Amino acid sequence: MSINNYDLNRDVINTEVLSKTNYEITSATAAQERNINSFVMEATSTGFLVNAKGTTTSTPLSAAFRNISNYFFSSSAANRIPVAQNNIATTGISRVITIGRTTVDDAILSGSVTGTFSFGTQANKVIIDRPEQSISGAVGRKGDLVDQTDITNVVGTVFYDTGTLVFHGGDYSKNTNFLIDSSSGFVFGPGATAGNVAINNISFISLNMLKRSVFFTRAFNQEFNYSNNPTAIANASLGSISSNLTSNPTSFITTVGLYNSNNELLAVAKTAPPVKKDFDTEKVFAVRLQY
Amino acid sequence: MAFLDSSTAVIDAILTRKGRELLAKNDGSFQITKFAFGDDEINYQLYDATKATDQDADILNLPVLEPVSNENVALLYRLITLPKGSLKISALSVTPTSGTVNYGDSLTINVSTDNGQDPQGYAATVRDTDIGALNNTTSTPDANGDGTFTVRTGANAGGKSGQTIIDITGVNSGARKEFTLTVSASGAAA
């Protein structure tokens, strides 16, 4: 035999591996490098969306508004979305941070978002996320974006799976108004000048979920001691084994192939250096596969 | 007295193209159930059985290549299990031994196992699928132990003329045979 079956109950371990990456974005350049975009969207805007690379696109900001309105808020009124702090009033303007898929990976870790924002010449405000307890929306888990010093002051919504932060509220009396006019902007920078809204920094943790299987692959002492390697065969047409290998049959393992039931090679692993195998030895390889 | 060797080597695997293809299908076809060992880089002529010690010193110093994702070349030579004292290993007989067909024609290849058996049949792959395509990539042996593969050429099989290799492997024996397929330009669209 040249191919053996695994005992799937005994030989295979399946686990999920969750890796986390911390990000702290403190400048427009850092945002650009991470494909993070911020913009003001307005239902009636005549401007165009500038992408994370700083290039003006052909997407009208009004179209971006309708997209977010429909997709994230299931709003049938395409030019209005709910105001974050009361969900009764509506707004036709809001501010958005989108985090590119290459940075988000599978999702943003709920509870990991922190951002510092400047509102004109007011003192900076730290905004954090408070994830919902159970998933209710059609776009995955979401959470409220709230004033760290007053969590009743809800300023927006974070959608963890898409990596989108929508700032569609904020109590003006608490110096957290994200709904002021679009000309006040929404850019990364160290601080806002009078009349502007700026993102001083934002930090979050992205999640990358992998499946890992470990296959315990055994070559018992009686197994795999001969080879089909042409250099181990003296006469290919007769199939005779080289004389230097007949007295003490020996093989050297360099490769482990993993197959499905149709004998298709699905994964391959290598050993380095070659592993000697003969009738006096038994070898076990823990072959790790992540996908 | 020596220490017990309880070590288990931990090695990382990569997916082959076929593995990625089946994983992407997400239909349950990506299910690893079997394994085989290979020794593609080894040159057994370096094994010196006449030495009292270190017969394998040269082999153990051979460099091993990183894994490749092309399943057709990732594991060519399988290790096999035979009783101690065996003097022969299995070999495949392929009829015809090579083939030349006109563009658009098909060819049937028969395979059998000498010095052993392949009750689970045979597997075959074409190295250049622009020249030929197999109607069946696996073949169950008939009552005589013979398997059959049919390779087609022409517009429905990559659309090129030229020469390529079909690798045929016995599932149980691990024996391999290379079949050279030549597709002449006759009949090819202008």
Side-chain angles (χ1 to χ4, degrees):
Chain A
M1 288 289 285
S2 68
I3 191 163
N4 281 12
N5 291 318
Y6 283 113
D7 179 335
L8 297 180
N9 294 319
R10 183 194 64 187
D11 300 333
V12 184
I13 300 172
N14 293 308
T15 54
E16 288 202 344
V17 180
L18 193 63
S19 63
K20 301 175 183 177
T21 307
N22 288 301
Y23 289 101
E24 184 168 7
I25 309 299
T26 57
S27 68
T29 304
Q32 196 171 33
E33 287 171 351
R34 288 292 168 193
N35 200 17
I36 296 172
N37 201 15
S38 64
F39 56 92
V40 186
M41 62 177 197
E42 192 172 13
T44 57
S45 173
T46 56
F48 290 90
L49 185 68
V50 177
N51 67 20
K53 302 299 179 194
T55 306
T56 301
T57 69
S58 59
T59 302
L61 285 167
S62 57
F65 189 98
R66 287 197 298 277
N67 178 297
I68 286 176
S69 167
N70 291 327
Y71 185 77
F72 290 102
F73 296 97
S74 302
S75 174
S76 55
N79 59 349
R80 308 295 292 178
I81 60 174
V83 169
Q85 64 266 40
N86 63 28
N87 279 321
I88 297 172
T90 58
T91 176
I93 186 171
S94 60
R95 285 166 166 78
V96 180
I97 296 174
T98 59
I99 304 168
R101 178 57 53 194
T102 50
T103 300
V104 168
D105 271 335
D106 289 316
I108 292 175
L109 176 64
S110 56
S112 72
V113 180
T114 304
T116 306
F117 298 85
S118 297
F119 298 86
T121 55
Q122 306 293 334
N124 292 343
K125 282 286 185 183
V126 176
I127 305 296
I128 62 172
D129 70 311
R130 299 189 75 223
E132 61 183 356
Q133 293 302 307
S134 57
I135 301 171
S136 58
V139 289
R141 184 179 291 277
K142 61 184 180 182
D144 287 337
L145 293 165
V146 301
D147 183 345
Q148 187 179 41
T149 57
D150 179 5
I151 61 172
T152 63
N153 181 22
V154 182
V155 302
T157 307
V158 52
F159 299 91
Y160 297 106
D161 291 308
T162 62
T164 306
L165 289 72
V166 183
F167 298 88
H168 53 112
D171 191 334
Y172 179 74
S173 67
K174 296 173 181 174
N175 300 324
T176 54
N177 185 8
F178 283 97
L179 305 181
I180 57 174
D181 64 90
S182 60
S183 63
S184 56
F186 196 50
V187 294
F188 281 89
T193 55
N196 284 353
V197 182
I199 310 159
N200 291 352
N201 61 66
I202 184 166
S203 62
F204 56 90
I205 296 172
S206 71
L207 297 175
N208 188 10
M209 284 165 268
L210 294 171
K211 286 189 174 180
R212 174 186 287 173
S213 297
V214 178
F215 299 86
F216 287 93
T217 308
R218 297 177 176 85
F220 292 103
N221 71 309
Q222 301 279 340
E223 297 178 324
F224 302 108
N225 296 318
Y226 293 89
S227 173
N228 275 297
N229 189 310
T231 64
I233 300 168
N235 186 317
S237 57
L238 296 175
S240 50
I241 299 166
S242 290
S243 57
N244 62 340
L245 297 169
T246 51
S247 58
N248 181 27
T250 303
S251 64
F252 295 86
I253 298 167
T254 65
T255 313
V256 182
L258 309 181
Y259 295 79
N260 66 5
S261 56
N262 292 328
N263 301 306
E264 294 168 311
L265 182 58
L266 305 186
V268 63
K270 305 292 280 195
T271 67
V275 175
K276 184 180 179 181
K277 178 72 187 68
D278 59 26
F279 276 93
D280 295 327
T281 57
E282 182 174 304
K283 297 295 177 187
V284 182
F285 300 91
V287 183
R288 201 166 50 180
L289 179 64
Q290 286 191 169
Y291 52 95
Chain B
M1 183 180 288
F3 291 112
L4 288 171
D5 180 9
S6 59
S7 62
T8 297
V10 179
I11 52 177
D12 289 314
I14 66 161
L15 291 173
T16 62
R17 295 175 198 166
K18 175 59 78 174
R20 288 199 294 259
E21 177 193 326
L22 298 187
L23 186 63
K25 280 185 178 175
N26 199 26
D27 62 357
S29 57
F30 184 85
Q31 176 77 37
I32 291 168
T33 60
K34 301 180 180 183
F35 66 92
F37 293 105
D39 62 356
D40 296 1
E41 296 92 340
I42 301 300
N43 182 348
Y44 284 91
Q45 300 304 311
L46 299 174
Y47 187 77
D48 190 350
T50 62
K51 281 184 173 177
T53 57
D54 294 335
Q55 301 97 329
D56 49 19
D58 291 341
I59 288 183
L60 293 176
N61 286 323
L62 285 171
V64 176
L65 297 168
E66 291 184 323
V68 293
S69 61
N70 182 349
E71 64 276 1
N72 293 336
V73 299
L75 197 163
L76 295 176
Y77 307 121
R78 289 189 202 161
L79 302 185
I80 46 177
T81 299
L82 292 173
K84 194 170 187 179
S86 297
L87 298 176
K88 287 186 176 181
I89 64 166
S90 300
L92 297 187
S93 288
V94 175
T95 309
T97 53
S98 63
T100 299
V101 296
N102 288 332
Y103 179 91
D105 288 350
S106 294
L107 179 71
T108 298
I109 304 166
N110 296 303
V111 57
S112 60
T113 307
D114 300 330
N115 306 329
Q117 292 182 325
D118 277 302
Q120 291 187 56
Y122 305 93
T125 55
V126 181
R127 292 187 190 175
D128 190 340
T129 52
D130 286 341
I131 294 175
L134 287 159
N135 286 350
N136 56 313
T137 56
T138 59
S139 176
T140 304
D142 60 18
N144 297 321
D146 296 339
T148 302
F149 292 97
T150 302
V151 60
R152 63 183 189 278
T153 67
N156 294 324
K160 281 187 177 177
S161 58
Q163 192 173 79
T164 188
I165 302 288
I166 299 173
D167 294 297
I168 303 171
T169 306
V171 172
N172 300 83
S173 67
R176 292 180 78 250
K177 199 77 169 181
E178 295 181 358
F179 179 92
T180 302
L181 173 70
T182 304
V183 179
S184 66
S186 304

